[in-house]
Amino acid sequence: MRKRYDRKPSNREKRQFLVLYRSFLMRVIDLELLSADADTARLLGQFAALFAGLSYLFTFWLIFAGGEFSKVFLWMMEHFLIATTMVIVSLFSVLCWDSIFPDKRDVLILAPLPVRANTVFRAKLAALIAALSVSVLSLNIFSGLVWPILFSSTNGGGFFGVIRSLAAYWIMMTMAGLFMFCCVLGVQGVTSLVLPRQQFLRLSALLQAGTFFVFFGVYILEPSLEAPTALAAPENQRLLACLPSYWFLGLFQQLNGSMVPEFVSLAKRAWACLAAAAFCGVASVLLAYFRTMRKTVEEPDIMPGSPWINWPVRFGSLLETCLVLFSMRTLLRSRQHRILLCFYLGTGLAIVLAYLKTPLGQRGFLHLPRGDEVDVAFLVASFWMICFAVIGVRVVIAMPHTLRANWIFRTTETRGVAEYLAAVRRSLLVIALAPVWLLVAVLFLLRWPTWLVAGHLTVLGLVGVIVVELCLHGFHKFPFACSYLPGQSKVHVVFWSLLLVLAPLSAARVESGMLGGPFSYLCMVVLLAAIAAAARWRTAASAKEAERLVFEEAYPAEL
């Protein structure tokens, strides 16, 4: 009887761990952003399918490639796959930033129950590791089976060489993902230990946004140093010591049995930094975890505002001003929406930096062109910046902040859908279009003559208005107050059409040639103004046909 009594606590803890693990795993994606009918497992499956599609893109072209690949090319592909996996894991870790610590609801529900704090911590950590493991597995589901066969040619080949390359590839990818995950954990743990909870919650959003842009920027702008001469060059050693993707490239060579002298120091640095990151990340989060659980109940989540701050600015009518201020304050106060917006803006920044990498490397941004020459690359980049900003804000405002509170907006819906649509349009113009337009104006004034900047800004503003109208067509919702169903948005159709058709054609092939001629430039402006007016009329007509705002979405009955 004594032995049976002693086993009960451990069995109870195992059951508690499994229940909490399943609950936390399904809450990796914030449920407050989804509709009541949304399926979290389905959304996670869509992410896994997206990563698997990327893995297929990295591999399928080998069917059409013939002949043998050089050693330098294989090293380049090894580094590319490593860097891609590391940036995906780091971005996913940043998205799950708030999932490692329990929120107030978790503490209030679990604290009165006979559940130990370490059980909650282990369940939280296991759910995050499982989600990250699924992302690594799906991202390498095809490339992790095909490319190691080619990598085995550097270690002698044969059956045992292929087996060793497969094992080295997956071990290295696991370690690379673990390193990035522990780095994010360390930053979060140290920050929560140093700062009070209210300041940590406010600063954590800035840290998340900063890490998004840092990860994207490093991934896009890091140079190609896979050649033996570049790896051994003395002037590159300091740069190699700051790029973790090259550390794990050396680690893979060590595990694969194809070590060369250029990779010895990189492999040693990978082992040392992995051990340091794992220790610092787990230790800091473990120390901050129990402090956070106590502070979650004792302190409020937000700091009191300053009563002397007043906002006398008006943005049109009373409804438009109220909705613009409501949207701005929601973005400033909601961590989830800020992170989603940073994800879209970071993606746009990565594409813009990748496109401008060659012009910036050859001439620099502040290098003035000859005479009245127009740099087409920067024209295209400015259009992409406008598109990403507008579409990112449009996607974010469709997700609710506190879905249970939308009854307030339902009971106060006293105006027509067209008036609410005009207020939403004003919000997009103020929050998304105007800041990017002003940023482009300041940057371009440093590079081009004033009259060229004025002409391009006029065209850029008209294109931004067209993007706003296309994004608002069929959007009969109140921002941040309506339910959201994943996979139902049609914004991606507008996104790809604008990204692949409108920006390159209008900027590179049309505007660059028409800026020099007054008559051709005037024709282009008139045409864009007519398209903007037609798009606005189409959006307004669709809003007038709608009877009420759509506060709750549901999957179509035929599905």
Side-chain angles (χ1 to χ4, degrees):
M1 294 296 294
R2 183 177 179 83
K3 292 183 178 179
R4 185 177 180 182
Y5 177 79
D6 292 340
R7 291 175 182 172
K8 287 183 178 180
S10 61
N11 294 333
R12 183 175 66 247
E13 289 183 5
K14 290 181 180 179
R15 291 195 297 269
Q16 292 173 350
F17 173 81
L18 293 176
V19 172
L20 292 175
Y21 167 75
R22 288 192 294 267
S23 176
F24 293 150
L25 182 61
M26 292 295 102
R27 287 170 50 191
V28 171
I29 305 297
D30 192 359
L31 297 179
E32 293 295 333
L33 297 178
L34 304 179
S35 173
D37 297 332
D39 187 2
T40 309
R42 177 180 177 179
L43 183 59
L44 293 176
Q46 291 177 354
F47 277 109
L50 175 63
F51 293 155
L54 292 177
S55 179
Y56 176 75
L57 292 178
F58 299 156
T59 309
F60 85 99
W61 58 271
L62 290 175
I63 301 175
F64 308 100
E68 297 182 357
F69 299 104
S70 64
K71 182 181 295 186
V72 176
F73 176 79
L74 293 178
W75 287 353
M76 292 177 60
M77 284 305 304
E78 291 170 6
H79 176 256
F80 171 75
L81 295 174
I82 294 170
T84 304
T85 301
M86 293 179 70
V87 73
I88 291 297
V89 171
S90 60
L91 295 179
F92 201 88
S93 301
V94 173
L95 285 176
C96 303
W97 182 282
D98 297 324
S99 300
I100 187 61
F101 292 127
D103 54 15
K104 183 168 292 186
R105 180 179 56 183
D106 293 333
V107 176
L108 293 177
I109 294 176
L110 298 177
L113 300 177
V115 181
R116 301 176 62 181
N118 60 355
T119 303
V120 180
F121 175 76
R122 290 188 292 109
K124 279 273 188 181
L125 191 60
L128 284 178
I129 293 177
L132 293 173
S133 301
V134 172
S135 64
V136 174
L137 178 62
S138 58
L139 186 61
N140 296 275
I141 189 65
F142 296 107
S143 57
L145 299 177
V146 177
W147 278 105
I149 299 177
L150 301 177
F151 297 155
S152 63
S153 61
T154 60
N155 64 1
F159 176 77
F160 292 102
V162 172
I163 297 299
R164 182 170 184 174
S165 293
L166 284 170
Y169 183 89
W170 286 102
I171 292 174
M172 182 271 306
M173 287 297 181
T174 303
M175 290 182 176
L178 181 63
F179 171 78
M180 300 304 298
F181 177 61
C182 291
C183 287
V184 176
L185 283 184
V187 173
Q188 185 180 13
V190 172
T191 307
S192 61
L193 283 174
V194 174
L195 299 177
R197 174 172 171 76
Q198 294 176 344
Q199 296 182 3
F200 165 71
L201 292 178
R202 176 170 293 184
L203 183 61
S204 63
L206 299 178
L207 289 176
Q208 286 176 291
T211 50
F212 259 106
F213 292 106
V214 168
F215 289 146
F216 270 121
V218 172
Y219 176 71
I220 295 298
L221 296 179
E222 65 177 355
S224 179
L225 303 175
E226 296 86 359
T229 54
L231 292 172
E235 61 272 12
N236 295 333
Q237 298 308 310
R238 182 176 298 181
L239 184 60
L240 289 172
C242 301
L243 297 176
S245 58
Y246 285 97
W247 306 347
F248 289 92
L249 176 61
L251 179 59
F252 174 74
Q253 301 300 324
Q254 185 182 42
L255 297 176
N256 194 33
S258 55
M259 178 67 76
V260 294
E262 291 81 1
F263 291 114
V264 174
S265 59
L266 298 176
K268 292 180 179 179
R269 188 179 296 273
W271 286 112
C273 293
L274 177 61
F279 175 78
C280 295
V282 176
S284 60
V285 170
L286 186 61
L287 292 175
Y289 192 83
F290 301 100
R291 173 179 177 269
T292 303
M293 292 188 67
R294 184 179 69 255
K295 295 296 184 180
T296 301
V297 180
E298 296 175 355
E299 300 178 358
D301 291 341
I302 59 176
M303 300 178 66
S306 300
W308 54 270
I309 295 179
N310 190 16
W311 194 282
V313 180
R314 294 290 296 269
F315 298 99
S317 64
L318 184 61
L319 177 62
E320 293 174 346
T321 302
C322 291
L323 202 145
V324 171
L325 294 179
F326 173 75
S327 302
M328 294 174 62
R329 290 170 179 172
T330 303
L331 282 176
L332 292 176
R333 296 174 181 176
S334 175
R335 296 189 303 274
Q336 296 90 342
H337 291 85
R338 284 198 301 267
I339 292 304
L340 290 173
L341 181 59
C342 288
F343 177 79
Y344 284 98
L345 296 181
T347 304
L349 178 64
I351 295 177
V352 170
L353 291 178
Y355 188 78
L356 295 179
K357 185 176 181 180
T358 301
L360 289 175
Q362 293 177 351
R363 299 181 294 274
F365 181 78
L366 296 179
H367 174 74
L368 296 177
R370 299 186 306 272
D372 295 338
E373 179 185 354
V374 178
D375 200 332
V376 177
F378 291 95
L379 291 176
V380 178
S382 64
F383 281 104
W384 277 340
M385 291 171 62
I386 286 289
C387 293
F388 274 104
V390 174
I391 295 173
V393 174
R394 159 64 180 83
V395 173
V396 169
I397 65 175
M399 299 181 179
H401 176 46
T402 304
L403 188 58
R404 295 186 297 271
N406 68 353
W407 61 270
I408 299 176
F409 303 101
R410 293 190 181 192
T411 56
T412 57
E413 184 185 355
T414 58
R415 309 195 184 194
V417 179
E419 296 185 53
Y420 287 103
L421 179 65
V424 176
R425 180 188 295 112
R426 187 62 56 89
S427 300
L428 285 180
L429 294 176
V430 173
I431 298 175
L433 181 60
V436 178
W437 189 86
L438 292 175
L439 177 62
V440 171
V442 173
L443 294 178
F444 280 18
L445 282 173
L446 300 175
R447 182 176 178 85
W448 288 345
T450 306
W451 70 272
L452 282 178
V453 174
H456 175 65
L457 291 179
T458 302
V459 175
L460 188 65
L462 291 174
V463 172
V465 172
I466 295 173
V467 177
V468 170
E469 297 300 332
L470 293 179
C471 290
L472 289 180
H473 179 71
F475 184 77
H476 306 147
K477 293 183 177 181
F478 199 95
F480 304 104
C482 303
S483 64
Y484 171 76
L485 284 178
Q488 299 298 306
S489 177
K490 301 299 186 298
V491 179
H492 61 280
V493 178
V494 182
F495 168 77
W496 287 115
S497 62
L498 290 172
L499 184 64
L500 300 177
V501 179
L502 181 60
L505 290 178
S506 62
R509 300 182 180 179
V510 179
E511 187 183 6
S512 60
M514 292 185 174
L515 279 176
F519 179 75
S520 59
Y521 173 77
L522 181 62
C523 293
M524 179 178 60
V525 171
V526 171
L527 178 61
L528 290 176
I531 296 175
R536 182 163 184 171
W537 175 83
R538 179 171 174 265
T539 304
S542 175
K544 291 180 181 179
E545 296 176 357
E547 298 180 357
R548 297 179 62 86
L549 295 175
V550 179
F551 283 96
E552 185 68 31
E553 283 191 355
Y555 288 113
E558 59 268 15
L559 293 182

